[in-house]
PDB file of all heavy atoms in Angstrom:
ATOM      1  N   ALA A   9     128.006 113.307 104.389  1.00 94.00           N
ATOM      2  CA  ALA A   9     126.939 114.230 104.212  1.00 94.00           C
ATOM      3  C   ALA A   9     127.207 115.196 102.959  1.00 94.00           C
ATOM      4  O   ALA A   9     126.219 115.604 102.338  1.00 94.00           O
ATOM      5  CB  ALA A   9     126.729 115.106 105.440  1.00 94.00           C
ATOM      6  N   ALA A  10     128.473 115.462 102.728  1.00 96.00           N
ATOM      7  CA  ALA A  10     128.834 116.255 101.686  1.00 96.00           C
ATOM      8  C   ALA A  10     130.263 115.768 101.075  1.00 96.00           C
ATOM      9  O   ALA A  10     131.080 115.247 101.910  1.00 96.00           O
ATOM     10  CB  ALA A  10     128.967 117.762 102.143  1.00 96.00           C
ATOM     11  N   LEU A  11     130.400 115.918  99.796  1.00 95.00           N
ATOM     12  CA  LEU A  11     131.555 115.433  99.234  1.00 95.00           C
ATOM     13  C   LEU A  11     131.872 116.343  98.053  1.00 95.00           C
ATOM     14  O   LEU A  11     131.054 116.727  97.207  1.00 95.00           O
ATOM     15  CB  LEU A  11     131.346 114.122  98.587  1.00 95.00           C
ATOM     16  CG  LEU A  11     132.526 113.284  97.929  1.00 95.00           C
ATOM     17  CD1 LEU A  11     133.683 113.100  98.741  1.00 95.00           C
ATOM     18  CD2 LEU A  11     131.941 112.001  97.403  1.00 95.00           C
ATOM     19  N   SER A  12     133.180 116.728  97.842  1.00 97.00           N
ATOM     20  CA  SER A  12     133.528 117.603  96.736  1.00 97.00           C
ATOM     21  C   SER A  12     134.783 116.918  96.008  1.00 97.00           C
ATOM     22  O   SER A  12     135.764 116.606  96.762  1.00 97.00           O
ATOM     23  CB  SER A  12     134.023 118.997  97.338  1.00 97.00           C
ATOM     24  OG  SER A  12     134.412 119.835  96.350  1.00 97.00           O
ATOM     25  N   VAL A  13     134.665 116.755  94.772  1.00 97.00           N
ATOM     26  CA  VAL A  13     135.723 116.068  94.010  1.00 97.00           C
ATOM     27  C   VAL A  13     136.157 116.821  92.799  1.00 97.00           C
ATOM     28  O   VAL A  13     135.207 117.527  92.176  1.00 97.00           O
ATOM     29  CB  VAL A  13     135.339 114.585  93.698  1.00 97.00           C
ATOM     30  CG1 VAL A  13     135.130 113.827  94.884  1.00 97.00           C
ATOM     31  CG2 VAL A  13     134.131 114.673  92.817  1.00 97.00           C
ATOM     32  N   PRO A  14     137.302 116.769  92.250  1.00 97.00           N
ATOM     33  CA  PRO A  14     137.578 117.243  90.944  1.00 97.00           C
ATOM     34  C   PRO A  14     136.950 116.428  89.758  1.00 97.00           C
ATOM     35  O   PRO A  14     136.809 115.210  89.872  1.00 97.00           O
ATOM     36  CB  PRO A  14     139.084 117.325  90.778  1.00 97.00           C
ATOM     37  CG  PRO A  14     139.414 116.148  91.761  1.00 97.00           C
ATOM     38  CD  PRO A  14     138.447 116.110  92.849  1.00 97.00           C
ATOM     39  N   GLU A  15     136.702 117.014  88.650  1.00 97.00           N
ATOM     40  CA  GLU A  15     136.037 116.458  87.569  1.00 97.00           C
ATOM     41  C   GLU A  15     136.968 115.164  87.055  1.00 97.00           C
ATOM     42  O   GLU A  15     138.221 115.351  87.110  1.00 97.00           O
ATOM     43  CB  GLU A  15     135.916 117.415  86.417  1.00 97.00           C
ATOM     44  CG  GLU A  15     135.174 116.816  85.101  1.00 97.00           C
ATOM     45  CD  GLU A  15     135.212 117.956  84.120  1.00 97.00           C
ATOM     46  OE1 GLU A  15     135.602 119.162  84.275  1.00 97.00           O
ATOM     47  OE2 GLU A  15     134.578 117.777  83.036  1.00 97.00           O
ATOM     48  N   GLY A  16     136.345 114.051  86.740  1.00 97.00           N
ATOM     49  CA  GLY A  16     137.018 112.981  86.240  1.00 97.00           C
ATOM     50  C   GLY A  16     137.252 111.954  87.238  1.00 97.00           C
ATOM     51  O   GLY A  16     137.621 110.744  86.917  1.00 97.00           O
ATOM     52  N   GLU A  17     137.155 112.273  88.414  1.00 97.00           N
ATOM     53  CA  GLU A  17     137.390 111.277  89.608  1.00 97.00           C
ATOM     54  C   GLU A  17     136.134 110.237  89.606  1.00 97.00           C
ATOM     55  O   GLU A  17     135.135 110.467  89.377  1.00 97.00           O
ATOM     56  CB  GLU A  17     137.437 112.031  90.848  1.00 97.00           C
ATOM     57  CG  GLU A  17     138.843 112.316  91.162  1.00 97.00           C
ATOM     58  CD  GLU A  17     139.019 112.470  92.821  1.00 97.00           C
ATOM     59  OE1 GLU A  17     138.281 111.977  93.616  1.00 97.00           O
ATOM     60  OE2 GLU A  17     140.249 112.969  93.198  1.00 97.00           O
ATOM     61  N   ASN A  18     136.549 108.979  89.997  1.00 97.00           N
ATOM     62  CA  ASN A  18     135.627 107.999  90.308  1.00 97.00           C
ATOM     63  C   ASN A  18     135.222 108.223  91.819  1.00 97.00           C
ATOM     64  O   ASN A  18     136.135 108.459  92.676  1.00 97.00           O
ATOM     65  CB  ASN A  18     136.042 106.608  90.179  1.00 97.00           C
ATOM     66  CG  ASN A  18     136.573 106.437  88.678  1.00 97.00           C
ATOM     67  OD1 ASN A  18     136.082 106.904  87.900  1.00 97.00           O
ATOM     68  ND2 ASN A  18     137.654 105.642  88.503  1.00 97.00           N
ATOM     69  N   LEU A  19     134.023 107.946  92.211  1.00 96.00           N
ATOM     70  CA  LEU A  19     133.744 108.096  93.617  1.00 96.00           C
ATOM     71  C   LEU A  19     132.601 107.178  94.212  1.00 96.00           C
ATOM     72  O   LEU A  19     131.914 106.373  93.300  1.00 96.00           O
ATOM     73  CB  LEU A  19     133.143 109.557  93.815  1.00 96.00           C
ATOM     74  CG  LEU A  19     132.021 110.115  93.112  1.00 96.00           C
ATOM     75  CD1 LEU A  19     130.754 110.036  93.940  1.00 96.00           C
ATOM     76  CD2 LEU A  19     132.200 111.480  92.587  1.00 96.00           C
ATOM     77  N   VAL A  20     132.545 107.044  95.431  1.00 96.00           N
ATOM     78  CA  VAL A  20     131.564 106.083  95.973  1.00 96.00           C
ATOM     79  C   VAL A  20     130.767 106.798  96.994  1.00 96.00           C
ATOM     80  O   VAL A  20     131.354 107.430  97.964  1.00 96.00           O
ATOM     81  CB  VAL A  20     132.421 104.975  96.589  1.00 96.00           C
ATOM     82  CG1 VAL A  20     131.347 103.942  97.427  1.00 96.00           C
ATOM     83  CG2 VAL A  20     133.118 104.154  95.504  1.00 96.00           C
ATOM     84  N   LEU A  21     129.520 106.622  97.018  1.00 97.00           N
ATOM     85  CA  LEU A  21     128.599 107.063  98.045  1.00 97.00           C
ATOM     86  C   LEU A  21     128.043 105.921  98.848  1.00 97.00           C
ATOM     87  O   LEU A  21     127.818 104.948  98.309  1.00 97.00           O
ATOM     88  CB  LEU A  21     127.421 107.949  97.437  1.00 97.00           C
ATOM     89  CG  LEU A  21     127.766 108.949  96.443  1.00 97.00           C
ATOM     90  CD1 LEU A  21     126.493 109.694  96.012  1.00 97.00           C
ATOM     91  CD2 LEU A  21     128.805 110.035  97.159  1.00 97.00           C
ATOM     92  N   ASN A  22     127.953 106.034 100.062  1.00 97.00           N
ATOM     93  CA  ASN A  22     127.609 104.901 101.030  1.00 97.00           C
ATOM     94  C   ASN A  22     126.207 105.164 101.568  1.00 97.00           C
ATOM     95  O   ASN A  22     125.830 106.269 101.983  1.00 97.00           O
ATOM     96  CB  ASN A  22     128.665 104.859 102.131  1.00 97.00           C
ATOM     97  CG  ASN A  22     129.929 104.566 101.602  1.00 97.00           C
ATOM     98  OD1 ASN A  22     130.110 103.437 101.155  1.00 97.00           O
ATOM     99  ND2 ASN A  22     130.820 105.340 101.787  1.00 97.00           N
ATOM    100  N   CYS A  23     125.623 104.010 101.773  1.00 98.00           N
ATOM    101  CA  CYS A  23     124.232 104.155 102.469  1.00 98.00           C
ATOM    102  C   CYS A  23     124.176 102.794 103.308  1.00 98.00           C
ATOM    103  O   CYS A  23     124.486 101.647 102.950  1.00 98.00           O
ATOM    104  CB  CYS A  23     123.127 103.939 101.353  1.00 98.00           C
ATOM    105  SG  CYS A  23     121.515 103.729 102.006  1.00 98.00           S
ATOM    106  N   SER A  24     123.724 102.862 104.552  1.00 98.00           N
ATOM    107  CA  SER A  24     123.454 101.757 105.556  1.00 98.00           C
ATOM    108  C   SER A  24     122.103 101.836 106.076  1.00 98.00           C
ATOM    109  O   SER A  24     121.615 102.854 106.215  1.00 98.00           O
ATOM    110  CB  SER A  24     124.594 101.703 106.475  1.00 98.00           C
ATOM    111  OG  SER A  24     124.525 102.879 107.340  1.00 98.00           O
ATOM    112  N   PHE A  25     121.535 100.620 106.286  1.00 98.00           N
ATOM    113  CA  PHE A  25     120.186 100.576 106.937  1.00 98.00           C
ATOM    114  C   PHE A  25     120.167  99.454 108.071  1.00 98.00           C
ATOM    115  O   PHE A  25     121.037  98.534 108.156  1.00 98.00           O
ATOM    116  CB  PHE A  25     119.193 100.237 105.856  1.00 98.00           C
ATOM    117  CG  PHE A  25     119.559  99.172 104.790  1.00 98.00           C
ATOM    118  CD1 PHE A  25     119.140  97.887 105.175  1.00 98.00           C
ATOM    119  CD2 PHE A  25     120.325  99.408 103.779  1.00 98.00           C
ATOM    120  CE1 PHE A  25     119.506  96.839 104.300  1.00 98.00           C
ATOM    121  CE2 PHE A  25     120.661  98.318 102.867  1.00 98.00           C
ATOM    122  CZ  PHE A  25     120.176  97.046 103.112  1.00 98.00           C
ATOM    123  N   THR A  26     119.385  99.725 109.000  1.00 97.00           N
ATOM    124  CA  THR A  26     119.335  99.002 110.162  1.00 97.00           C
ATOM    125  C   THR A  26     118.647  97.635 110.153  1.00 97.00           C
ATOM    126  O   THR A  26     118.815  96.597 110.803  1.00 97.00           O
ATOM    127  CB  THR A  26     118.746  99.705 111.490  1.00 97.00           C
ATOM    128  OG1 THR A  26     117.554 100.180 111.101  1.00 97.00           O
ATOM    129  CG2 THR A  26     119.808 100.913 111.698  1.00 97.00           C
ATOM    130  N   ASP A  27     117.453  97.544 109.361  1.00 93.00           N
ATOM    131  CA  ASP A  27     116.678  96.401 109.238  1.00 93.00           C
ATOM    132  C   ASP A  27     116.911  95.738 107.826  1.00 93.00           C
ATOM    133  O   ASP A  27     116.637  96.337 106.810  1.00 93.00           O
ATOM    134  CB  ASP A  27     115.317  96.715 109.388  1.00 93.00           C
ATOM    135  CG  ASP A  27     114.223  95.583 109.391  1.00 93.00           C
ATOM    136  OD1 ASP A  27     114.782  94.374 109.107  1.00 93.00           O
ATOM    137  OD2 ASP A  27     113.150  95.821 109.759  1.00 93.00           O
ATOM    138  N   SER A  28     117.425  94.534 107.796  1.00 93.00           N
ATOM    139  CA  SER A  28     117.779  93.973 106.457  1.00 93.00           C
ATOM    140  C   SER A  28     116.586  93.400 105.793  1.00 93.00           C
ATOM    141  O   SER A  28     116.714  92.977 104.653  1.00 93.00           O
ATOM    142  CB  SER A  28     118.817  92.842 106.750  1.00 93.00           C
ATOM    143  OG  SER A  28     118.311  91.832 107.580  1.00 93.00           O
ATOM    144  N   ALA A  29     115.348  93.287 106.454  1.00 92.00           N
ATOM    145  CA  ALA A  29     114.096  92.908 105.783  1.00 92.00           C
ATOM    146  C   ALA A  29     113.576  93.881 104.766  1.00 92.00           C
ATOM    147  O   ALA A  29     112.493  94.459 105.055  1.00 92.00           O
ATOM    148  CB  ALA A  29     113.215  92.355 106.886  1.00 92.00           C
ATOM    149  N   ILE A  30     114.279  94.199 103.693  1.00 93.00           N
ATOM    150  CA  ILE A  30     113.801  95.111 102.803  1.00 93.00           C
ATOM    151  C   ILE A  30     113.306  94.392 101.541  1.00 93.00           C
ATOM    152  O   ILE A  30     113.713  93.282 101.170  1.00 93.00           O
ATOM    153  CB  ILE A  30     114.876  96.081 102.375  1.00 93.00           C
ATOM    154  CG1 ILE A  30     116.039  95.353 101.645  1.00 93.00           C
ATOM    155  CG2 ILE A  30     115.402  96.746 103.669  1.00 93.00           C
ATOM    156  CD1 ILE A  30     117.109  96.354 101.080  1.00 93.00           C
ATOM    157  N   TYR A  31     112.417  95.195 100.769  1.00 91.00           N
ATOM    158  CA  TYR A  31     111.985  94.716  99.385  1.00 91.00           C
ATOM    159  C   TYR A  31     112.902  95.124  98.323  1.00 91.00           C
ATOM    160  O   TYR A  31     113.122  94.395  97.465  1.00 91.00           O
ATOM    161  CB  TYR A  31     110.611  95.182  99.210  1.00 91.00           C
ATOM    162  CG  TYR A  31     109.594  94.485 100.017  1.00 91.00           C
ATOM    163  CD1 TYR A  31     108.930  95.120 101.170  1.00 91.00           C
ATOM    164  CD2 TYR A  31     109.121  92.995  99.870  1.00 91.00           C
ATOM    165  CE1 TYR A  31     108.045  94.529 102.045  1.00 91.00           C
ATOM    166  CE2 TYR A  31     108.248  92.575 100.681  1.00 91.00           C
ATOM    167  CZ  TYR A  31     107.760  93.193 101.794  1.00 91.00           C
ATOM    168  OH  TYR A  31     106.736  92.674 102.576  1.00 91.00           O
TER     169      TYR A  31
END
Side-chain angles (χ1 to χ4, degrees):
Chain A
L11 180 64
S12 183
V13 300
E15 182 177 3
E17 270 203 11
N18 303 325
L19 59 100
V20 174
L21 307 181
N22 296 292
C23 172
S24 62
F25 46 94
T26 55
D27 183 353
S28 62
I30 66 170
Y31 291 102

